[in-house]
Amino acid sequence: MPARRTVLAAMAAAVPAAGLPALATPAAAAPAAPGRPAALPGGGDLGPNVIVFDPGTPNIQGKLDEIFRQQERAQFGSTRYALLFKPGTYHGLNAQLGFYTSIAGLGLSPDDTSINGDVTVDAGWFNGNATQNFWRSAENLALTPVNGTNRWAVAQAAPFRRMHIRGGLNLAPDGYGWASGGYIADSRIDGTVGPYSQQQWYTRDSSVGGWTNAVWNMVFSGVEGAPAQSFPEPPYTTLNTTPISREKPFLYLDGSAYRVFLPEKRTNARGTTWGNGTPRGTSLPLDQFYVAKPGVTAATLNTALDQGLHLLFTPGIYHVDRAIEVKRANTVVLGLGYATIIPDNGATAVKVADVDGVRLAGFLIDAGTTNSATLLEVGPTGASADHSANPTTVQDVFIRIGGAGAGKATVSMVINSRHTIVDHTWVWRADHGDGVGWETNRADYGVRVNGADVLATGLFVEHFNKYDVEWRGERGRTIFFQNEKAYDAPNQAAIQNGSVKGFAAYKVADSVTTHEGWGLGSYCYYNVDPTIRQDHGFAAPRTSGVRFHDLLVVSLSGHGQFEHVINDTGAATSGTDTVPSKVVSYP
């Protein structure tokens, strides 16, 4: 099989569309004490690129089509949209989603907002190749597809959450071209899910009526109706439950007022949170959020946080000259429509203190042109507090280095706080677009975990110059990992790691005594120097407490090869046939 992303299409720049902004009643600012500036108000309107529909809105289809025309090819464009549907029933719609477009219902349950129609992702813009269908999402809707099956042919950073499909779900593009997704959580698909050409997929805490096939790596945890464990053939990895989960916060309408729902933590979770009615959790009124618009400064955002407000980023691009510092327990930082934070002058974009219950969700961090030591830090160095009762969650927070322009970072995501849950991330050193080259968008490390008891569910990390994932904390767990090594290594010497050929995609530090992973894959496509050899995809200490289940490595059409899967275990890849080498358990 050819590599996933070897042919590039011209990317059209996004052009803003007129639309009606979502409105909310702003909270009055608190009166200022003598000599002090007035407090920042909470609430307010959601800006021009949050577009809200109700069943009586005229020509909904026309607006959806207009936005899709702008966003279909805008892979590295600057415009973002959130399309929100008030509770009710809508007929005859086909919402085609392009780049940086999120669609969501505004009910407490997906069934509150029913569309007799489709929410479609396809790959006509890229000649039937779905491997670049990034940065779009669907949440909190019930769909009755026109032909019985909804098409959702996506790649990375395209979550499908809290969805009810009254029919089937097709994860492949029209024509069954290449596809490389993907992630489903807290969803119910009444019919069969057909991944077809999808190379890998992770489904968590959901319900499916059936699942038709697997290519390389299909992983399920807490999914009712999932296929039985059968790796290596077919390559299904199935866990009966997810050890710990807490669903992503979401915006909803309580009457005419916006609120943000905060789902409660579940242990040994299985199935959806909403199948028996209203989900369990708490909510916050919008006037407890500082509603951020592009152009706001980091100083203002930090002032809002210091006042006790949460943050809601409306769609757009935000430049910050210093870190956004989350210091208060239970703070929510929620982005709409792929709101994008760019740190300037080598700053870190977001830093979280070692406190309970912070929720980061729904935004993209894009590295700036000056190297940042880190882009996202959860907990300071040496963080040690116990957060088991109320962990921090990082959900649909995506990181990009290069692609939209030159960017650099030494370590992209650092997790220092214990018990953090990283639930669906794509941390990507770009392999195409602008500002791309071995040194141009230099980024040595993707995700580094120093904290103990960290859980990753849906970990996508790709193309870093050295380790893609480096895990130093004890008792870490990963359910599903997808990786490609950097395509653009110029030669063997450039990736040499002492006496080891190549840096592992997933490295567990030699000091770690307890670690576990399920359903992990790494691929190589060394297109600059196809003679490069990689000793292994995975490296870990040889101890009984460090265990892996269902691992694979793949050479994409023979551009580079792996000698082993993990350490010195597992057969070498060979030839140009793109056949995985697999290890069922290690040690």
Side-chain angles (χ1 to χ4, degrees):
M1 181 182 295
R4 295 189 298 132
R5 304 178 193 125
T6 57
V7 181
L8 304 182
M11 308 304 172
V15 179
L20 295 178
L23 301 178
T25 303
R36 295 184 182 179
L40 294 168
D45 75 87
L46 301 180
N49 285 35
V50 175
I51 299 174
V52 179
F53 304 100
D54 64 44
T57 301
N59 196 20
I60 297 173
Q61 188 65 54
K63 176 57 72 174
L64 297 175
D65 292 345
E66 176 189 347
I67 291 170
F68 178 65
R69 283 192 297 270
Q70 296 172 40
Q71 301 301 109
E72 181 183 12
R73 297 175 179 270
Q75 182 169 179
F76 299 111
S78 58
T79 306
R80 280 107 174 88
Y81 286 100
L83 310 177
L84 305 182
F85 286 74
K86 292 182 180 181
T89 301
Y90 301 78
H91 297 283
L93 298 182
N94 181 16
Q96 300 183 79
L97 298 188
F99 288 98
Y100 312 110
T101 305
S102 298
I103 189 170
L106 286 170
L108 266 179
S109 165
D111 289 334
D112 293 339
T113 310
S114 294
I115 295 177
N116 292 316
D118 297 79
V119 172
T120 302
V121 178
D122 206 346
W125 73 278
F126 201 42
N127 301 314
N129 177 350
T131 62
Q132 292 182 28
N133 282 348
F134 314 136
W135 304 306
R136 62 201 77 195
S137 65
E139 301 183 50
N140 206 27
L141 294 166
L143 304 179
T144 304
V146 170
N147 70 355
T149 300
N150 190 77
R151 186 183 302 279
W152 185 256
V154 298
Q156 288 78 0
F160 198 79
R161 290 183 181 268
R162 295 177 55 76
M163 295 290 287
H164 183 189
I165 308 301
R166 298 176 177 132
L169 187 63
N170 183 344
L171 304 180
D174 186 32
Y176 302 99
W178 305 329
S180 182
Y183 175 91
I184 293 171
D186 200 23
S187 294
R188 175 180 170 182
I189 293 90
D190 293 343
T192 298
V193 179
Y196 304 111
S197 55
Q198 279 287 353
Q199 294 160 352
Q200 70 279 312
W201 200 275
Y202 175 49
T203 307
R204 177 182 63 72
D205 299 351
S206 294
S207 173
V208 299
W211 195 277
T212 54
N213 75 302
V215 177
W216 292 341
N217 193 28
M218 299 286 161
V219 180
F220 308 84
S221 67
V223 178
E224 298 167 346
Q229 169 71 31
S230 58
F231 192 94
E233 293 300 335
Y236 293 134
T237 298
T238 303
L239 286 72
N240 189 54
T241 61
T242 304
I244 307 167
S245 64
R246 189 175 70 193
E247 298 302 331
K248 178 184 173 184
F250 61 91
L251 191 70
Y252 75 102
L253 276 173
D254 180 12
S256 61
Y258 287 101
R259 299 181 69 91
V260 173
F261 192 81
L262 308 177
E264 70 175 13
K265 186 187 79 169
R266 297 197 292 170
T267 57
N268 298 318
R270 182 171 172 83
T272 69
T273 62
W274 50 269
N276 295 318
T278 302
R280 296 173 65 89
T282 59
S283 69
L284 296 169
L286 192 65
D287 64 12
Q288 291 185 21
F289 285 79
Y290 179 77
V291 178
K293 310 285 176 52
V296 69
T297 65
T300 298
L301 295 169
N302 284 329
T303 296
L305 289 168
D306 289 343
Q307 283 180 202
L309 293 170
H310 307 273
L311 296 182
L312 182 74
F313 285 91
T314 63
I317 294 177
Y318 297 77
H319 283 267
V320 295
D321 62 355
R322 68 196 75 172
I324 300 166
E325 296 195 59
V326 181
K327 303 173 184 177
R328 190 180 72 256
N330 301 310
T331 299
V332 179
V333 180
L334 177 62
L336 301 179
Y338 287 84
T340 301
I341 302 169
I342 302 177
D344 296 326
N345 306 318
T348 297
V350 179
K351 292 184 177 181
V352 180
D354 194 21
V355 295
D356 273 359
V358 171
R359 305 183 195 227
L360 308 179
F363 56 90
L364 170 64
I365 297 173
D366 212 348
T369 54
T370 301
N371 185 75
S372 294
T374 58
L375 294 172
L376 171 64
E377 293 181 17
V378 179
T381 301
S384 60
D386 186 322
H387 304 296
S388 56
N390 186 13
T392 285
T393 46
V394 181
Q395 299 177 285
D396 301 347
V397 173
F398 307 117
I399 295 178
R400 178 173 67 193
I401 303 94
K408 293 185 178 182
T410 304
V411 189
S412 294
M413 180 185 294
V414 180
I415 307 296
N416 291 318
S417 287
R418 294 180 62 192
H419 303 102
T420 300
I421 300 171
V422 180
D423 175 45
H424 190 229
T425 188
W426 185 37
V427 182
W428 185 54
R429 176 182 166 265
D431 60 275
H432 64 270
D434 292 333
V436 171
W438 185 249
E439 296 296 343
T440 306
N441 63 329
R442 181 86 193 185
D444 282 351
Y445 306 101
V447 175
R448 179 176 288 163
V449 179
N450 296 317
D453 306 291
V454 171
L455 171 65
T457 52
L459 187 60
F460 299 74
V461 188
E462 296 188 299
H463 303 306
F464 285 84
N465 296 76
K466 293 184 179 179
Y467 292 125
D468 298 276
V469 172
E470 188 179 18
W471 208 295
R472 299 173 174 178
E474 284 288 355
R475 296 177 299 281
R477 292 176 289 184
T478 295
I479 304 173
F480 184 87
F481 170 68
Q482 185 267 325
N483 165 264
E484 288 180 346
K485 294 303 299 173
Y487 291 173
D488 56 347
N491 49 49
Q492 188 75 48
I495 64 163
Q496 196 69 15
N497 182 15
S499 62
V500 178
K501 296 193 290 288
F503 287 80
Y506 189 107
K507 164 69 174 176
V508 180
D510 293 343
S511 59
V512 170
T513 61
T514 306
H515 187 91
E516 195 158 10
W518 297 262
L520 291 77
S522 177
Y523 324 144
C524 72
Y525 182 74
Y526 289 115
N527 62 345
V528 176
D529 182 358
T531 68
I532 289 175
R533 310 287 297 189
Q534 178 91 20
D535 266 346
H536 41 236
F538 304 89
R542 304 168 194 273
T543 180
S544 60
V546 176
R547 298 176 292 173
F548 288 91
H549 315 272
D550 304 355
L551 301 167
L552 64 93
V553 296
V554 182
S555 167
L556 301 176
S557 39
H559 287 71
Q561 301 288 349
F562 288 96
E563 305 283 9
H564 302 285
V565 179
I566 179 168
N567 294 343
D568 57 2
T569 298
T573 58
S574 63
T576 61
D577 293 335
T578 314
V579 175
S581 177
K582 300 176 181 178
V583 168
V584 174
S585 62
Y586 183 89

